[in-house]
Amino acid sequence: MPNSSEMPKAPIHPHAVTAGEVVPGDLVALSQEEVERQQWCVVMHTLPESPGTIRVTLRPPLGGIDREAVLAREQQVVVAGRRVDEAAVPAVSSPRLDAVRFRDGDRVTRLRAVDPEGVEVTYERRWGVWHRDLDDRTGETVSDDVVRGWAADADRAGYVVRHHSRPTREPSCAGPRRVVVTGLGALTPLGVGVDELWRGLLDGRHGIRELEGEEFQELPVRVAGVVPVDPAMLLPRAAARRMNRAAQFAVLAAREAWGDAGFATGGTRESGLDPERVGVSLGAILGDASVLVGGDRKLRDKGPRGVSPLTTPMTVPSQAASQISLDLHITGEARTVTSACASGTEAIGEAIDRIRHGRVDVALAGGAEAVITPAIMASFASMRALSDLGLDGGATPSRPFAKDRAGFVNGEGAGVLVLEAEEHARARGARIYCEAAGWGLSADAHHMAAPDPSGSGVALALRRAVRDAGGHVVDVVHVNAHATATVDGDLAEADALRAVLGQGGGAAAGSSAGGGVPVTALKGNLGHLQGAAGGVEAVAAVLTLHNRLVPPTLGCSELDEEIGLDVVTGAPRTLPADGDLVLSNSFGFGGHNAVLALRRVA
């Protein structure tokens, strides 16, 4: 019940009068203590009780139950200097809630009705706890027992408490469609396939290796996250010759995801799908930088006739998306997103929107990259962005959030998700991993390479992803961090996560171990896969949600105390039950920020 619109807004000027002087409509306090507590009542009726006394009927000014008091006519009381239309003050009683079964989504409103300036406060139940602000994990929360106590004591204490059951959703034929994940595929430094990726993450293995080629020998940094097999050997020879390395990764990951989703080998026609209702959305920065470098070398060594006619079509970043389209006969669309290291995540977000709004029913989305070349490695080294820790003792040189982190490790690979409209997936009886619930974008507008140290751009993308998913901050149960292991980048992301989720990752009542949202970073296992990072890390985030198990952060033996997050280290941790949103972060040079929100499907 909001503050009554009938209540005059004149200021309160308390002054003493005798009880015999009060009349209906006066705002009265029976003692100075009540004045100090802002505890007032409206005089509803007065009746003579005896020659020396009167009976006064009192009601809280913002509504409540009546009480009567017999006062001596000469007794001193305090009036507020403010008159009230007593007919406009509602007579209400707060019902007890002892027998009410509370559900998430219910609301309770609480109004201190004896305070003329009282403002109604709303609490909403989420994950078994009542929150005053669902987007503030460190804000006020109360239990079911406290709410029941409020209702039981409301009339005596001068409050009005109301319970509002969560609204029943009416079926609707209009509006955006729900998008779900039905298939996963990956090629990473941990091996070929999603199983190798997931097992390696849980086991705490890394796939970072010494670069052995002669062309790398003079470089100051010679370690990278390399896919341990030649992808060309896993494809027909004729097809492989027409693909760059990144496209080979992409096609193999897409085939795995396609089969994992339950579709037939071969593509859309074999699966009984309309190829015009299927799309591809892939992120890449360069795709495969070695093709252009090789073409330039052949031009210098052999002249124009030595340059292959395939050089140009194999150089463009869009080759991976087009090759998936060719391989699976997908004609709906084949888009490429290039936004630095946020490319893979942004490509998934674009696919979510295409399905939501009915442009396609199914999409393969993710990222692919193959940029482990001497020039790229030398450039990153010149920027002082690469880790120089080496592989001594088999430890990973990529150490996200660690006190001794020294930079990122360049990597390659591909990660692809099959996204579907929920009704399409359920109609064919597909296994659903989770909901692809939303995504958020922002730009730092700060520097061509360095992140904004305030983390404000990252925080904006995080909030937008949660909002786009139709959720609240208290719903976030896990974050798969971008965390490249650069000193400034990790701190900026940590600052943003603390700003959005609360100090220490936040802690809604009932949170599990660590006192906040568990955060993990995978670049200790994989290196930084550039445009593919968002795709591969989205695959891992889906598996985290589906298996309810958070992989540990490899390489973080001693957490930098400035990070201030609940970073999962050492061993996998069970995913907390008091939330349903997992966020997967990707941030890139130039201030590109993208966050994917995934939701558990009951």
Side-chain angles (χ1 to χ4, degrees):
M1 179 185 300
N3 195 346
S4 172
S5 61
E6 303 293 333
M7 178 63 61
K9 301 304 179 186
I12 292 176
H13 293 299
H15 59 280
V17 298
T18 64
E21 294 177 272
V22 301
V23 295
D26 277 347
L27 198 58
V28 64
L30 301 185
S31 67
Q32 188 59 40
E33 290 76 11
E34 288 186 356
V35 174
E36 292 170 358
R37 294 196 302 267
Q38 284 295 306
Q39 184 174 333
W40 299 87
C41 285
V42 177
V43 177
M44 305 298 292
H45 304 286
T46 62
L47 289 172
E49 179 76 8
S50 71
T53 62
I54 60 171
R55 182 178 295 274
V56 182
T57 302
L58 303 171
R59 184 181 297 171
L62 300 185
I65 63 170
D66 290 347
R67 65 186 176 97
E68 292 188 343
V70 177
L71 307 176
R73 290 181 179 275
E74 300 304 317
Q75 179 179 333
Q76 291 281 305
V77 296
V78 180
V79 294
R82 173 189 290 189
R83 296 302 306 278
V84 175
D85 179 3
E86 68 273 18
V89 180
V92 292
S93 177
S94 300
R96 295 182 68 90
L97 300 177
D98 297 344
V100 175
R101 181 181 178 184
F102 295 138
R103 300 181 299 167
D104 280 5
D106 287 2
R107 291 181 302 110
V108 161
T109 57
R110 189 173 187 237
L111 173 67
R112 188 168 185 262
V114 295
D115 182 356
E117 307 294 340
V119 176
E120 187 176 71
V121 178
T122 300
Y123 293 78
E124 185 167 338
R125 194 175 190 268
R126 203 80 158 190
W127 309 112
V129 178
W130 298 87
H131 297 262
R132 185 164 177 173
D133 183 351
L134 288 172
D135 288 314
D136 182 1
R137 293 189 65 93
T138 60
E140 181 186 352
T141 61
V142 296
S143 67
D144 287 349
D145 288 343
V146 169
V147 170
R148 296 186 200 280
W150 284 347
D153 195 46
D155 290 346
R156 185 197 63 79
Y159 281 81
V160 175
V161 174
R162 286 286 180 267
H163 171 245
H164 308 270
S165 296
R166 69 184 184 192
T168 302
R169 290 186 180 180
E170 297 295 333
S172 173
C173 297
R177 300 188 296 180
R178 193 182 190 204
V179 182
V180 296
V181 180
T182 57
L184 304 173
L187 267 81
T188 74
L190 287 172
V192 176
V194 169
D195 287 346
E196 285 295 307
L197 168 64
W198 186 240
R199 190 178 305 115
L201 295 177
L202 296 183
D203 291 346
R205 290 188 288 109
H206 72 80
I208 297 169
R209 299 168 178 82
E210 186 87 25
L211 297 173
E212 297 178 351
E214 182 180 345
E215 66 273 26
F216 296 106
Q217 295 309 305
E218 301 303 316
L219 297 179
V221 176
R222 295 187 300 279
V223 295
V226 181
V227 173
V229 299
D230 181 357
M233 302 302 293
L234 304 177
L235 293 164
R237 183 176 179 185
R241 289 182 62 249
R242 288 171 170 77
M243 299 182 203
N244 63 34
R245 185 174 173 88
Q248 292 169 0
F249 290 153
V251 167
L252 290 167
R255 286 183 177 181
E256 181 186 16
W258 187 257
D260 186 48
F263 294 124
T265 302
T268 54
R269 290 172 294 196
E270 291 80 358
S271 301
L273 297 176
D274 179 356
E276 295 181 7
R277 300 296 300 167
V278 184
V280 180
S281 182
L282 216 69
I285 302 175
L286 298 174
D288 184 351
S290 66
V291 176
L292 186 60
V293 173
D296 185 67
R297 184 180 294 117
K298 289 178 180 178
L299 176 64
R300 286 186 278 106
D301 293 346
K302 299 181 180 180
R305 292 184 179 275
V307 179
S308 167
L310 296 175
T311 300
T312 296
M314 290 175 63
T315 295
V316 293
S318 60
Q319 213 225 6
S322 67
Q323 287 294 334
I324 292 175
S325 169
L326 286 165
D327 189 66
L328 297 174
H329 191 68
I330 294 170
T331 63
E333 56 189 36
R335 70 174 59 236
T336 299
V337 175
T338 300
S339 54
C341 306
S343 300
T345 297
E346 187 172 340
I348 296 170
E350 293 283 0
I352 291 171
D353 279 352
R354 299 299 284 174
I355 295 172
R356 273 177 172 172
H357 299 294
R359 305 297 189 267
V360 294
D361 299 318
V362 180
L364 289 113
E369 202 80 76
V371 290
I372 301 176
T373 66
I376 297 295
M377 294 289 292
S379 174
F380 282 144
S382 295
M383 294 171 65
R384 300 182 183 275
L386 293 182
S387 171
D388 59 359
L389 295 175
L391 293 167
D392 294 343
T396 176
S398 176
R399 302 176 184 178
F401 294 136
K403 189 172 185 178
D404 62 348
R405 66 191 184 280
F408 73 84
V409 172
N410 196 18
E412 63 178 6
V416 174
L417 281 61
V418 172
L419 304 176
E420 278 186 75
E422 182 183 26
E423 63 266 29
H424 188 279
R426 294 201 184 278
R428 67 183 186 86
R431 179 267 326 279
I432 294 175
Y433 282 105
C434 65
E435 179 187 357
W439 64 301
L441 285 179
S442 71
D444 280 355
H446 173 73
H447 189 271
M448 67 179 294
D452 182 347
S454 75
S456 59
V458 170
L460 177 60
L462 289 164
R463 291 190 178 98
R464 283 178 168 172
V466 172
R467 190 182 313 125
D468 190 52
H472 298 276
V473 169
V474 298
D475 300 329
V476 178
V477 73
H478 168 59
V479 177
N480 188 307
H482 183 64
T484 60
T486 58
V487 174
D488 293 339
D490 285 10
L491 285 176
E493 183 175 11
D495 286 348
L497 287 170
R498 292 198 309 273
V500 173
L501 302 178
Q503 183 66 31
S511 288
S512 65
V517 176
V519 176
T520 195
L522 307 183
K523 291 179 175 64
N525 308 87
L526 305 169
H528 187 358
L529 307 190
Q530 308 297 327
V536 170
E537 290 167 14
V539 169
V542 168
L543 291 172
T544 295
L545 194 53
H546 183 69
N547 296 317
R548 305 195 177 195
L549 197 60
V550 181
T553 301
L554 189 64
C556 187
S557 58
E558 185 178 358
L559 181 68
D560 181 350
E561 59 272 12
E562 292 187 53
I563 296 298
L565 300 174
D566 180 14
V567 178
V568 179
T569 60
R573 185 191 298 177
T574 300
L575 192 69
D578 57 348
D580 65 353
L581 282 184
V582 164
L583 304 181
S584 183
N585 296 346
S586 295
F587 316 122
F589 286 165
H592 297 279
N593 305 312
V595 177
L596 175 65
L598 303 166
R599 175 177 283 116
R600 179 186 294 132
V601 174

